[in-house]
Amino acid sequence: MSLLSDLINLNLSDTTEKIIAEYIWIGGSGMDLRSKARTLNGVVNDPHKLPKWNYDGSSTGQAPGEDSEVILYPQAIFKDPFRRGNNILVMCDAYTPAGEPIPTNKRYNAAKIFSHPDVVAEEPWYGIEQEYTLLQKDLKWPIGWPVGGYPGPQGPYYCGAGADKAFGRDVVDSHYKACLYAGINISGINGEVMPGQWEFQVGPSVGISAGDELWVARYILERITEIAGVVVSFDPKPIEGDWNGAGAHTNYSTKSMRNDGGFEVIKKAIGNLKLKHKEHIAAYGEGNERRLTGRHETADINTFSWGVANRGASVRVGRDTEKAGKGYFEDRRPASNMDPYVVTSMIADTTILWKP
């Protein structure tokens, strides 16, 4: 095994200028991450100078067998924490050979919204709180839980420490450091209310980069859980009953909100979100109705509400923002399996571009 480990950790720069680029894309389910690697002749720092590539879309549920070629367009580059050295991870989106975005390419429309002059002028910032659950590989039951049974009730696990409260911290810390190494603006981690559930935060990130960074952070987590022999679940309610669900609370501000008088801009933006509540809920993740019940720190899925410091509301404004009269707000509705390209661009569209 030590020889295998030595080979995996070979430093290529000792013998060659060539590097390995791992191209990452989103598969047909909208949540499955796919990737494959290719050799490049040297270091590339601009994603648009990377070669386009193709894959078999019939094997990912994204193209028919008789016309299966899908083209990858490189969009963002990150350092590769697995191969290290000058090797890179490349976040891509997918197009037909004719250059049309395929239906599961949600980045394309998001980029259009984020490149709108009115949105660019507002410099939208995002901080996304990604919750997830670690499962035992063969049982699909949370790690640390007795086989076929349940642990003690919620209470001691949130931000807890100790072998009977925190399960999977080695995976979580590995992911934290790997994201920092990759150049992702990961801002923190914590244990969540349900045992076996954790959270990491990405941001503040501006515009389209919030989606790129969160997707690559998810990819890195999938790779680390692969090594650790556990399964990561982004299901919004992995265990039915008196257990917290998993969300992706999205913190958001614009330049106008961050400037003096911003609280009035925030209230107007929240008013817009209320008017488009149904459209947002429809785009905020599959199975979210199992999570947004009005219990376990959620608002009811059918009712829009907001409040200061209220974790049972659809949208929460922090006490600091109220006191300063400017700042940001938190949309607590997105599920853990939401597409960050969809959610971030939709919030910008509704609060900046849409006129009721």
Side-chain angles (χ1 to χ4, degrees), residues 225-239:
T225 53
E226 174 190 321
I227 295 164
V230 297
V231 173
V232 59
S233 169
F234 295 104
D235 189 293
K237 186 74 174 179
I239 305 293

Side-chain angles (χ1 to χ4, degrees), residues 324-340:
K326 59 186 176 182
Y328 70 97
F329 65 82
E330 174 193 44
D331 190 340
R332 296 179 61 81
R333 296 171 295 171
S336 49
N337 60 359
M338 63 80 153
D339 186 326

Side-chain angles (χ1 to χ4, degrees), residues 3 10 20 46 87 130 138 189 199 205 243 261 296 300 302 314:
L3 179 60
L10 271 178
I20 302 169
D46 179 353
N87 304 300
Q130 176 69 71
D138 298 322
I189 53 143
E199 173 184 300
S205 305
W243 304 97
H296 304 112
D300 178 77
N302 297 310
S314 311

Side-chain angles (χ1 to χ4, degrees), residues 13-229:
S13 59
D14 289 344
T15 57
T16 181
E17 290 182 2
K18 291 182 178 180
I19 67 162
I20 302 169
E22 189 80 28
Y23 279 42
I24 303 164
W25 71 96
I26 300 157
S29 75
M31 269 307 287
D32 55 319
L33 282 157
R34 311 285 180 130
S35 74
K36 59 177 184 171
R38 67 183 297 164
T39 305
L40 302 176
N41 287 328
V43 173
V44 181
N45 297 312
D46 179 353
H48 303 299
K49 290 182 179 171
L50 287 167
K52 291 173 184 171
W53 205 5
N54 64 70
Y55 67 92
D56 170 17
S58 70
S59 295
T60 62
Q62 293 170 299
E66 65 274 11
D67 186 15
S68 65
E69 196 166 283
V70 181
I71 313 301
L72 292 171
Y73 287 32
Q75 299 291 359
I77 293 174
F78 299 87
K79 288 171 68 67
D80 185 340
F82 303 103
R83 296 188 177 105
R84 288 172 279 189
N86 292 321
N87 304 300
I88 54 175
L89 302 176
V90 183
M91 189 65 207
C92 305
D93 59 355
Y95 296 79
T96 67
E100 295 294 318
I102 65 170
T104 52
N105 179 354
K106 306 303 183 187
R107 191 187 191 280
Y108 178 79
N109 280 330
K112 283 207 292 193
I113 290 168
F114 284 122
S115 61
H116 189 289
D118 294 354
V119 178
V120 172
E122 281 290 354
E123 283 179 34
W125 291 3
Y126 298 90
I128 302 172
E129 305 170 30
Q130 176 69 71
E131 294 177 340
Y132 60 93
T133 309
L134 296 174
L135 305 178
Q136 300 168 51
K137 185 177 160 192
D138 298 322
L139 302 170
K140 300 294 169 69
W141 196 241
I143 63 169
W145 288 39
V147 175
Y150 295 86
Q154 295 183 153
Y157 310 109
Y158 171 71
C159 298
D164 56 345
K165 300 180 210 60
F167 312 118
R169 193 186 296 275
D170 51 348
V171 168
V172 176
D173 265 350
S174 299
H175 176 251
Y176 194 177
K177 288 187 172 180
C179 285
L180 285 170
Y181 179 93
I184 292 165
N185 195 20
I186 187 169
S187 46
I189 53 143
N190 60 270
E192 268 304 329
V193 177
M194 188 182 88
Q197 195 179 72
W198 295 82
E199 173 184 300
F200 66 89
Q201 303 94 31
V202 168
S205 305
V206 181
I208 197 75
S209 65
D212 290 336
E213 291 187 22
L214 191 74
W215 273 116
V216 176
R218 284 175 172 176
Y219 172 80
I220 291 171
L221 183 57
E222 292 275 12
R223 288 281 302 275
I224 289 171
T225 53
E226 174 190 321
I227 295 164

